[in-house]
Amino acid sequence: MEFQLPLILFTTLIAWSAGLFATQCVCSVKNVCQNCQLPAWICSAALLALSGLAVFTHLEHWERIFNGFGHLTSGITQELIAIVVLAVIAIAYLVFLRKGDRVPVWLAVLGAATSLVLVAVCGHSYVMAARPAWDSIIEVLSLVGASCALGPLTMMVLQGKFEASDEAGETLVWRLALGGAVANAAVAVAYIAFMAFAGSAVMGVGFYFDPINPTEGMIDLTSLSPLAAGSIPFTAVSVIGAVVAAAAAFFGRKNTLAMGTLGTVAAVVGTVCLRVLFYQMGFTGFVLF
């Protein structure tokens, strides 16, 4: 299946934005990283706006986008609802920040929970039985894992930039980054393994006749594997990116700016490559020959 760059960017940016907002909400509950709160909110909002632009570039007739919001069971409808709810929570969160008041614990907890729900909803929109490599909860977890890595790693960067001394904040964010990055690496490997086995569910049905190449199939079924020649580079980079992000988080407790930057870049690259692989493996259950 041809990969869709706008949707790859959309899911990556959504995971990044939600992960960062969830991280700052956790920090607010623990009353740490106060100097990072406003910069984190601005970065999260910017990433969310960029994800929206990415979606629009995917649409040939963007003015018809609301035609797709007619059913509550539709993935795009659920994504819109989750985004609107998160936007309302984020605006309320900003009001408290601008007033100089501490964000209420209930609002911070709600913001973190809604952020993770949004990422899960975005991932679930692609789960469909017709595409074996997509039909798994592991696909959803792969996007949630990216969010859990990208958010805390970005907060590490902001700590190195805006927090002069906050031992409690550094410890909390370091634990979140390490746990999230390790979980992301584990889920990425698990999803690649699932896609490798899912390729066996694709069957060649019928015949494809081309007067010029009458015996040539529409697609080589052996290519439906993360270890196929055309997929190996994306498989390797997605795993390497996730592992490097975990390593950067591990060594980032006392060098938050450098290691946070390295980890964030690695996690972004790894996530994008995993989503490219996701589309490469996204063939339907029956491929005509």
Side-chain angles (χ1 to χ4, degrees):
M1 181 180 182
E2 180 182 354
F3 70 87
Q4 304 293 323
L5 182 58
L7 295 182
I8 290 171
L9 294 177
F10 167 71
T11 51
T12 301
L13 291 170
I14 277 287
W16 195 353
S17 173
L20 180 55
F21 186 61
T23 302
Q24 75 171 110
C25 286
V26 173
C27 290
S28 179
V29 170
K30 295 296 185 178
N31 197 27
V32 296
C33 302
Q34 294 304 311
N35 293 336
C36 295
Q37 285 289 324
L38 186 57
W41 192 97
I42 293 172
C43 290
S44 179
L47 291 168
L48 185 62
L50 288 174
S51 72
L53 291 176
V55 167
F56 276 103
T57 61
H58 175 67
L59 302 172
E60 184 174 353
H61 294 283
W62 61 267
E63 72 279 4
R64 301 177 185 175
I65 188 173
F66 291 100
N67 294 342
F69 299 137
H71 302 281
L72 288 178
T73 56
S74 167
I76 192 173
T77 302
Q78 295 171 355
E79 288 174 0
L80 177 65
I81 293 172
I83 289 173
V84 170
V85 171
L86 182 62
V88 171
I89 293 172
I91 291 172
Y93 195 102
L94 178 64
V95 170
F96 284 98
L97 289 181
R98 296 300 295 169
K99 289 171 60 178
D101 299 335
R102 182 181 176 184
V103 177
V105 172
W106 66 266
L107 182 60
V109 171
L110 187 60
T114 305
S115 298
L116 294 179
V117 168
L118 170 58
V119 179
V121 167
C122 289
H124 186 265
S125 296
Y126 295 92
V127 175
M128 54 187 74
R131 302 187 185 277
W134 295 10
D135 191 25
S136 172
I137 188 64
I138 305 178
E139 183 274 324
V140 179
L141 293 178
S142 70
L143 200 59
V144 174
S147 182
C148 291
L150 286 167
L153 285 168
T154 305
M155 184 61 84
M156 286 178 64
V157 177
L158 296 176
Q159 276 185 322
K161 197 73 175 174
F162 297 101
E163 289 285 352
S165 178
D166 185 355
E167 186 67 27
E170 287 181 358
T171 300
L172 174 63
V173 174
W174 176 74
R175 289 175 176 172
L176 291 174
L178 182 58
V182 169
N184 177 53
V187 175
V189 172
Y191 188 46
I192 290 171
F194 172 80
M195 287 190 284
F197 286 105
S200 62
V202 180
M203 302 173 59
V205 178
F207 296 93
Y208 170 73
F209 181 73
D210 183 342
I212 300 176
N213 301 296
T215 61
E216 183 176 344
M218 293 180 69
I219 186 173
D220 181 6
L221 291 180
T222 61
S223 67
L224 303 184
S225 169
L227 301 179
S231 303
I232 286 179
F234 297 104
T235 301
V237 174
S238 62
V239 172
I240 292 172
V243 171
V244 170
F250 179 79
F251 292 107
R253 185 165 188 175
K254 295 301 181 181
N255 194 0
T256 57
L257 182 58
M259 290 295 101
T261 301
L262 174 61
T264 301
V265 172
V268 169
V269 173
T271 300
V272 169
C273 286
L274 186 61
R275 300 309 289 182
V276 171
L277 191 64
F278 166 83
Y279 276 102
Q280 286 184 323
M281 300 295 104
F283 290 95
T284 56
F286 299 97
V287 178
L288 296 178
F289 276 83

